[in-house]
Amino acid sequence: MQKIVTIQKLMPQTRLLQTTAKLRLTFNIPQLDELFPAFQAGDFAVMYGSQSITSLMAQLCIRAPLLTNQGGLESKVIFIDAANSSTMPSIRRAAERQHVEFQKTVDQIQTFRAYTAYRLHSLVIEELEQIIKTSNAKLVVISDVMCPFLTENVDDQEARTGYNQIMNYLSNFAKKHNMIIIATNLPHENNSRNRTLQEITSAKADTLLRYTKTQYTNDIELEKHPTYMLGVIDFSPENKTLTDF
């Protein structure tokens, strides 16, 4: 009799583990997937470096609504634009590469704009919980999360404190809601505040992907991950699936 009770108690946990294991989001770019197989439930990741990181972000936005057996999440996407960035052209190109209907993709992306540090702080810490409950989204993407904290309208102490609070919150939120949160940091002036915020990013994110683009090379480096082997790949633009990168 005791054994039956034990089995009954374990069954819900087993189902939860199975559900969690299915929540994976891939880039669907063979060269990159070899380095980084997938984002998984509970991940808080930051992609940074070259402006070209926007194309990778768009790739994830159009893949999240796909079926899980296609490498998607069967989910809406919460997209937070923190830098007045023009993402729709990148999303359109990504949809064309993946042979996904653009309008159906856009219908699955719920966009919020937060161009000031105070608005971004409020949106993330005070409103994100309700947004997720309403939408049941499994992916949150934040474009250039550091940008609002680099302006002269925010002093150094406010920037450090507010940014640190957001990074802490996002890391805990991803785990609490068993979802994926991905932020990007685009190139900005290399000053002391930028370096300080980048240090906070590196400490709080579970996963760090860095895109380095020069006249001669396109490198993507997996700098931090709890389980994957770290490494770097030559992200060759000669590959026809990467022509927009």
Side-chain angles (χ1 to χ4, degrees):
M1 187 65 180
Q2 181 61 37
K3 289 183 178 179
I4 294 175
V5 172
T6 303
I7 291 172
Q8 289 175 335
K9 287 183 178 179
L10 288 175
M11 282 177 65
Q13 182 180 358
T14 302
R15 285 198 297 269
L16 176 60
L17 292 173
Q18 289 171 345
T19 302
T20 302
K22 292 179 182 178
L23 188 58
R24 292 165 51 88
L25 179 63
T26 67
F27 282 105
N28 196 36
I29 302 173
Q31 186 183 11
L32 182 51
D33 290 346
E34 186 174 346
L35 171 70
F36 186 78
F39 297 94
Q40 301 183 49
D43 281 354
F44 171 44
V46 175
M47 304 190 299
Y48 75 104
S50 166
Q51 184 75 32
S52 296
I53 212 76
T54 301
S55 294
L56 293 181
M57 177 183 66
Q59 181 89 348
L60 297 172
C61 287
I62 65 101
R63 290 191 54 73
L66 299 178
L67 300 176
T68 54
N69 62 8
Q70 296 175 314
L73 303 174
E74 299 183 35
S75 165
K76 288 183 178 293
V77 178
I78 301 303
F79 182 84
I80 300 175
D81 183 358
N84 196 18
S85 54
S86 178
T87 28
M88 281 305 141
S90 295
I91 290 175
R92 183 184 291 275
R93 288 192 294 271
E96 290 172 353
R97 284 195 305 270
Q98 295 291 308
H99 306 290
V100 173
E101 188 175 334
F102 173 69
Q103 191 55 53
K104 285 186 177 179
T105 299
V106 172
D107 291 343
Q108 297 300 311
I109 301 174
Q110 189 172 351
T111 302
F112 297 84
R113 308 197 183 278
Y115 302 150
T116 69
Y118 308 108
R119 175 58 185 142
L120 181 59
H121 189 275
S122 173
L123 180 59
V124 169
I125 294 181
E126 298 176 15
E127 301 175 35
L128 188 57
E129 183 100 30
Q130 185 58 43
I131 291 170
I132 295 304
K133 286 181 180 178
T134 302
S135 65
N136 198 31
K138 288 297 182 182
L139 175 66
V140 173
V141 175
I142 306 176
S143 175
D144 208 1
V145 64
M146 191 188 295
C147 180
F149 293 90
L150 296 174
T151 67
E152 295 179 356
N153 296 330
V154 185
D155 65 36
D156 286 342
Q157 183 58 46
E158 279 185 307
R160 285 194 300 270
T161 302
Y163 189 76
N164 188 62
Q165 288 173 345
I166 286 178
M167 291 291 105
N168 269 326
Y169 189 87
L170 292 174
S171 178
N172 293 329
F173 193 91
K175 295 173 180 60
K176 174 183 175 181
H177 292 276
N178 195 38
M179 63 184 301
I180 299 168
I181 299 179
I182 302 170
T184 66
N185 275 329
L186 300 179
H188 293 283
E189 182 183 354
N190 185 21
N191 54 32
S192 60
R193 185 186 296 189
N194 191 327
R195 290 190 292 271
T196 297
L197 299 187
Q198 187 58 53
E199 288 174 2
I200 294 173
T201 303
S202 300
K204 304 301 181 182
D206 305 307
T207 299
L208 286 173
L209 280 165
R210 180 175 185 175
Y211 192 139
T212 304
K213 187 172 184 177
T214 70
Q215 183 179 354
Y216 306 104
T217 63
N218 289 269
D219 293 337
I220 293 184
E221 181 178 1
L222 180 59
E223 290 188 342
K224 181 181 181 182
H225 195 276
T227 57
Y228 294 157
M229 183 178 295
L230 306 184
V232 61
I233 60 169
D234 177 11
F235 198 49
S236 174
E238 295 178 0
N239 187 318
K240 66 180 180 179
T241 64
L242 307 178
T243 52
D244 291 314
F245 293 85

